[in-house]
């Protein structure tokens, strides 16, 4: 039972979890990431789990086992305790690492992505363990600290621990609900491939008056290269081979997604853009969930300070990520983009290409026992069956679970569309959080039956 008092206590614990600025990408926060991991291990032990902190070359991985339940299936509950940087901090209405409740929402970086969601499952298991004969299957928590930077250490970790980790199912709550009143199961994720480009020109920054007009300006060339990535008329990526292997949408898929309660104009207004844009011939949901994209995540180079400085920068750079769908391969997409950019770059510059993290796209099978348990649990708590959606984001480890542990994932998300993951004022809806705890209890109880 979630009495108001019990929920307040759980939210206070979650707030302690959220106070850690466990920003995995920022070396300045390495100790905070480690401190957060230690806090979490202590919490998992305090509720009766056998929790271990495993150092890795990156950030620690945490594994926690529940009591052994011979004859029952094993469910591995995955989550991440690392968070994205809070920038731009000045746009938050309360400090990102000082959790604050306004209305029915808890605001903090990581509230939805992913500390709040994984804490719902931790709390469900904690409640079950307080009962005399806990209705639980074998439960293993695997909570990592590198999800937001591509889960680089986790793959070798899974290989090394494949005998200890032998789940029948993986349960992941790191996705969104389609709407607050619509319990949601995610059936697919896009993959991702990150890379960086440096355009190098003169040996040093040059006076733009003395030398301007005689050398290629790396910032101009970078802008030309970026502009050449898309066809402005159709929104399609121009890189030859980019769409190789892309599975076309099926008519059934398109019909099912068109039945979801979604307004293109409401979506446009919520994002604050004058007009939506993208690949022609597809709806916004199709573009987000089933079509690949190539995005610029940042552009840099040249003088960025106050006022003006008359230079031709020696170099300019940009960060990119492609989002991928079955059956594209991250490596092939990055190689094709590299070939294309090198082919069209003018001779006055050199290109340097730095590959980054990647993840494969994933499609979840819908007919497992865990999928049925999730469907039933959501139906009981929300009073209606879940909607089935795709997602445009990526969770790199999910295909490693399949490849290394042989287990498929069931993705039940509790972040709301306006949770502001990765943005200022990230939040967790506490009403949804309370329901998520109940749903997790029901799901686990059904697996224990
Ligand atoms: N929770 C998200 C992934 C997500 C978001 C899935 C929304 C479905 C819907 C996760 O924490 C995330 O942000 N992943 C990164 C992975 C990347 C850094 C490799 C992403 O998708 O950008
Ligand atoms: Zn995230």
């Amino acid at each position: 039972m979630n009495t108001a008092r019990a929920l307040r206590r759980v939210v206070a614990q979650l707030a302690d979890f959220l106070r850690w600025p466990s920003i995995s990408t920022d070396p300045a926060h390495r100790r905070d990431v480690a401190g957060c991991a230690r806090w979490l291990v202590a919490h998992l032990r305090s509720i009766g789990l056998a929790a271990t902190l495993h150092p890795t070359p990156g950030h620690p991985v945490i594994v926690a086992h529940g009591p052994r339940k011979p004859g029952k299936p094993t469910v591995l509950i995955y989550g991440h305790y690392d968070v994205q940087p809070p920038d731009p901090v000045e746009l938050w209405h309360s400090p990102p690492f000082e959790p604050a409740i306004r209305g029915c929402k808890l605001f903090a970086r990581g509230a939805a992505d992913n500390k709040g969601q994984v804490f719902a499952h931790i709390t469900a298991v904690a409640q079950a363990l307080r009962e005399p004969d806990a209705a639980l299957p074998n439960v293993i928590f695997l909570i990592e600290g590198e999800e937001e930077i591509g889960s680089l250490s986790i793959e070798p970790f899974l290989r090394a621990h494949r005998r200890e980790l032998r789940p029948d199912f993986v349960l992941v709550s790191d996705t969104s609900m389609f709407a607050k009143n619509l319990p949601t199961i995610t059936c697919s994720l896009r993959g991702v491939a990150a890379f960086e480009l440096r355009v190098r020109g003169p040996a040093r920054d040059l006076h733009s008056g003395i030398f301007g007009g005689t050398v290629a300006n790396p910032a101009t060339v970078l802008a030309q290269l970026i502009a050449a990535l898309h066809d402005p008329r159709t929104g399609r990526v121009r890189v030859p081979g980019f769409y190789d292997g892309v599975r076309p949408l099926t008519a059934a898929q398109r019909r099912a997604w068109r039945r979801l309660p979604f307004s293109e104009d409401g979506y446009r207004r919520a994002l604050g853009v004058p007009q939506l844009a993208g690949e022609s011939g597809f709806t916004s949901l199709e573009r987000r969930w089933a079509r690949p994209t190539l995005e610029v995540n940042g552009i840099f180079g040249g003088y960025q300070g106050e006022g003006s400085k008359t230079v031709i920068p020696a170099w300019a750079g940009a960060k990119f990520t492609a989002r991928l769908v079955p059956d594209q391969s991250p490596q092939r997409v990055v190689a094709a983009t590299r070939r294309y950019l090198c082919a069209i770059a003018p001779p006055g510059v050199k290109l340097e290409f730095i590959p980054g993290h990647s993840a494969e796209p994933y499609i979840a099978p819908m007919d497992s026992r865990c999928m049925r348990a999730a469907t039933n649990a959501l139906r009981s708590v929300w009073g209606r069956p879940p909607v089935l959606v795709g997602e445009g984001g990526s969770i790199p480890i999910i295909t490693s679970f399949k490849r290394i542990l042989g287990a498929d994932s069931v993705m039940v998300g509790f972040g709301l569309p306006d949770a502001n993951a990765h943005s200022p004022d990230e939040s967790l809806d506490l009403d949804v959080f309370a329901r998520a705890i109940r749903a997790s209890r029901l799901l686990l109880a059904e697996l224990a039956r």
Side-chain angles (χ1 to χ4, degrees), residues 199-323:
V199 179
R200 296 198 183 278
R204 59 193 165 277
D205 286 7
L206 300 176
H207 190 297
S208 66
I210 299 176
F211 301 103
T214 62
V215 295
N217 182 318
T220 306
V221 172
L222 177 66
Q224 289 162 345
L225 294 177
I226 290 175
L229 289 174
H230 292 87
D231 181 330
R233 209 172 38 82
T234 61
R236 276 175 70 87
V237 176
R238 273 187 167 146
V239 175
F242 184 84
Y243 292 97
D244 283 2
V246 169
R247 274 192 223 168
L249 271 138
T250 63
Q253 186 74 92
R254 296 187 104 157
R255 262 198 312 278
W257 287 350
R258 275 180 209 273
R259 277 199 296 269
L260 292 169
F262 181 80
S263 138
E264 294 278 346
D265 200 54
Y267 178 67
R268 178 192 68 73
R269 269 182 280 117
L271 299 187
V273 291
Q275 190 171 22
L276 294 169
E279 194 184 358
S280 55
F282 297 97
T283 67
S284 288
L285 293 184
E286 290 166 355
R287 288 169 178 169
R288 282 162 63 186
W289 298 348
R291 297 297 299 168
T293 59
L294 181 50
E295 301 284 357
V296 181
N297 305 125
I299 301 187
F300 37 91
Y303 181 64
Q304 311 272 328
E306 289 290 319
S308 147
K309 183 182 182 211
T310 48
V311 286
I312 296 169
W315 63 274
K319 291 178 189 272
F320 299 84
T321 41
R323 293 286 169 171

Side-chain angles (χ1 to χ4, degrees), residues 80 82-84 113-114 147-148 174 394 421-422 426:
H80 61 95
D82 66 322
V83 301
Q84 289 267 330
D113 183 7
N114 177 242
E147 196 275 345
E148 299 289 8
D174 193 21
S394 312
H422 297 206
E426 180 176 351

Side-chain angles (χ1 to χ4, degrees), residues 78 80 82 84 112-114 117 146-151 173-176 186 188-194 321 323 357-359 390-396 411 421-422:
Y78 165 77
H80 61 95
D82 66 322
Q84 289 267 330
D113 183 7
N114 177 242
Q117 296 204 51
E146 291 183 31
E147 196 275 345
E148 299 289 8
I149 50 172
S151 298
S173 293
D174 193 21
T175 48
S176 304
T186 295
S188 64
L189 296 172
R190 285 194 291 189
V192 66
T321 41
R323 293 286 169 171
H357 61 77
S358 66
E391 276 283 13
S394 312
I395 305 176
M411 297 179 277
H422 297 206

Side-chain angles (χ1 to χ4, degrees), residues 131-443:
E131 289 169 4
D133 190 16
L136 286 175
N138 294 289
V139 174
I140 307 174
F141 280 97
L142 188 146
I143 307 174
E144 64 151 321
E146 291 183 31
E147 196 275 345
E148 299 289 8
I149 50 172
S151 298
L152 288 181
S153 303
I154 201 83
E155 178 116 2
F157 180 85
L158 288 182
R159 286 191 194 288
H161 292 79
R162 69 209 305 174
R163 262 177 294 280
E164 173 191 351
L165 306 168
R166 292 215 304 201
D168 296 290
F169 319 103
V170 178
L171 176 60
V172 181
S173 293
D174 193 21
T175 48
S176 304
M177 293 177 70
F178 198 70
K180 179 163 174 170
N181 56 355
L182 287 183
T184 305
I185 293 183
T186 295
C187 309
S188 64
L189 296 172
R190 285 194 291 189
V192 66
F195 59 91
E196 226 175 288
L197 175 68
R198 293 284 158 92
V199 179
R200 296 198 183 278
R204 59 193 165 277
D205 286 7
L206 300 176
H207 190 297
S208 66
I210 299 176
F211 301 103
T214 62
V215 295
N217 182 318
T220 306
V221 172
L222 177 66
Q224 289 162 345
L225 294 177
I226 290 175
L229 289 174
H230 292 87
D231 181 330
R233 209 172 38 82
T234 61
R236 276 175 70 87
V237 176
R238 273 187 167 146
V239 175
F242 184 84
Y243 292 97
D244 283 2
V246 169
R247 274 192 223 168
L249 271 138
T250 63
Q253 186 74 92
R254 296 187 104 157
R255 262 198 312 278
W257 287 350
R258 275 180 209 273
R259 277 199 296 269
L260 292 169
F262 181 80
S263 138
E264 294 278 346
D265 200 54
Y267 178 67
R268 178 192 68 73
R269 269 182 280 117
L271 299 187
V273 291
Q275 190 171 22
L276 294 169
E279 194 184 358
S280 55
F282 297 97
T283 67
S284 288
L285 293 184
E286 290 166 355
R287 288 169 178 169
R288 282 162 63 186
W289 298 348
R291 297 297 299 168
T293 59
L294 181 50
E295 301 284 357
V296 181
N297 305 125
I299 301 187
F300 37 91
Y303 181 64
Q304 311 272 328
E306 289 290 319
S308 147
K309 183 182 182 211
T310 48
V311 286
I312 296 169
W315 63 274
K319 291 178 189 272
F320 299 84
T321 41
R323 293 286 169 171
L324 310 174
V325 303
D327 295 308
Q328 286 177 299
S329 114
Q331 292 72 22
R332 281 208 310 272
V333 162
V334 173
T337 310
R338 176 185 200 151
R339 266 198 308 278
Y340 173 66
L341 291 173
C342 291
I344 65 171
V349 295
K350 286 205 193 95
L351 297 195
E352 192 184 322
F353 217 82
I354 308 150
H357 61 77
S358 66
E360 313 255 342
Y362 180 70
I363 294 187
M366 297 309 297
D367 52 1
S368 71
R369 181 169 169 204
C370 189
M371 199 60 94
R372 282 191 292 281
T375 304
N376 293 338
L378 292 174
R379 189 193 289 116
S380 317
V381 174
W382 266 269
R384 53 163 302 158
V387 291
L388 305 180
V389 304
E391 276 283 13
S394 312
I395 305 176
I397 197 179
I398 284 202
T399 50
S400 313
F401 285 142
K402 177 75 184 168
R403 220 173 334 102
I404 301 171
L405 306 181
D408 271 298
S409 292
V410 172
M411 297 179 277
V412 182
F414 301 111
L416 290 186
D418 63 355
N420 286 348
H422 297 206
S423 300
D425 284 342
E426 180 176 351
S427 68
L428 177 72
D429 185 293
L430 291 176
D431 181 41
V432 171
F433 178 64
R435 288 177 188 232
I437 297 169
R438 274 157 48 208
S440 175
R441 288 215 58 183
L442 290 174
L443 191 167

